Amino acid sequence: MLSYEGFTLIIMLFILAPIMGAIALLFLFIFEKRIDLLENKNKEIRLEQALQEAQYNKLNQQIQPHFLFNTLNVILGLARLNRTAELIRALEAFSQFLKFKYKASEPLIPLSQEIQYTQHYLDIQTLRFGDRLKIDMECPEPLSTALVPPFILQTLVENSFKHGLEKKWVKPCCISGSIWNRRWYIWKWRTMD
């Protein structure tokens, strides 16, 4: 026969087992919701990254037709004038410019590499504008290792040509930046009188 203590234990087990099961199910439900939330957030981040990569690739694959046309005209003009040394320099600079443009696939590159790429662009523009173009480029050592999106500096410089030299604007302009919290920030775009 069953003793009083045994009977009490069985009753307690029958009472506590559903309560413990309900608590366990509640924890599983909360855990499952948390996992669903994290999976949705992960999908959202992956979609956002894919969108950014697609936008980056779209921008990366675009060569400004205006720049391309002007560069080819500079090269053609040098060829017609038999200025072989300058023609070779122009072709080398243009080749390096295109090589970097289509080789760059990283979302961030060191600023020193971006400056080198921009220098190829400036070499082409120097042949085009001649004495009208004066370039003074300096980059403090801490800035040279800062990571920036590819083509950001080149785009700023290209826009300064588009809205400056090509429109006969003769004021010098300065693009400045700084590092704050291990990130590079463009903090000043100004004309210098």
Side-chain angles (χ1 to χ4, degrees), residues 15-190:
I15 293 173
L16 289 179
I19 293 173
M20 295 297 278
I23 291 172
L25 285 174
L26 181 64
F27 277 117
L28 284 174
F29 178 74
I30 292 171
F31 186 69
E32 189 175 88
K33 286 293 183 187
R34 190 80 157 151
I35 287 175
D36 288 344
L37 180 68
L38 290 173
E39 285 176 351
N40 286 340
K41 198 166 237 1
N42 194 14
K43 283 180 188 176
E44 184 180 313
I45 289 170
R46 281 196 310 258
L47 285 172
E48 189 175 307
Q49 286 175 338
L51 176 63
Q52 287 177 350
E53 187 174 326
Q55 289 172 339
Y56 168 76
N57 287 335
K58 180 182 173 191
L59 288 174
N60 189 23
Q61 297 305 318
Q62 292 176 347
I63 293 183
Q64 297 295 330
H66 188 253
F67 167 71
L68 182 60
F69 177 74
N70 287 336
T71 301
L72 291 175
N73 273 338
V74 166
I75 291 171
L76 180 62
L78 293 172
R80 284 185 178 153
L81 295 172
N82 288 327
R83 293 166 58 187
T84 310
E86 289 173 314
L87 176 62
I88 291 169
R89 265 191 23 238
L91 288 171
E92 286 174 344
F94 191 54
S95 171
Q96 291 298 320
F97 176 82
L98 291 176
K99 179 181 177 183
F100 183 83
K101 186 163 193 78
Y102 290 108
K103 189 175 102 176
S105 60
E106 296 296 319
L108 296 172
I109 60 171
L111 180 59
S112 60
Q113 190 175 352
E114 175 68 12
I115 288 172
Q116 182 182 9
Y117 168 69
T118 303
Q119 187 60 54
H120 297 308
Y121 175 84
L122 289 170
D123 290 344
I124 295 166
Q125 295 293 21
T126 300
L127 290 169
R128 180 173 172 217
F129 287 101
D131 293 338
R132 289 179 53 202
L133 182 61
K134 300 285 185 224
I135 300 167
D136 182 25
M137 193 180 306
E138 56 185 68
C139 180
E141 185 59 37
L143 266 180
S144 68
T145 58
L147 297 177
V148 297
F151 316 113
I152 191 156
L153 184 60
Q154 186 270 333
T155 302
L156 288 171
V157 171
E158 186 173 342
N159 281 334
S160 68
F161 278 96
K162 184 176 179 181
H163 300 291
L165 277 174
E166 291 177 0
K167 294 188 177 186
K168 308 293 187 243
W169 188 32
V170 293
K171 291 182 180 179
C173 87
C174 174
I175 303 169
S176 301
S178 64
I179 293 179
W180 183 72
N181 209 13
R182 294 177 52 186
R183 292 191 177 158
W184 184 64
Y185 293 92
I186 297 171
W187 56 273
K188 199 175 284 186
W189 173 283
R190 64 180 160 87

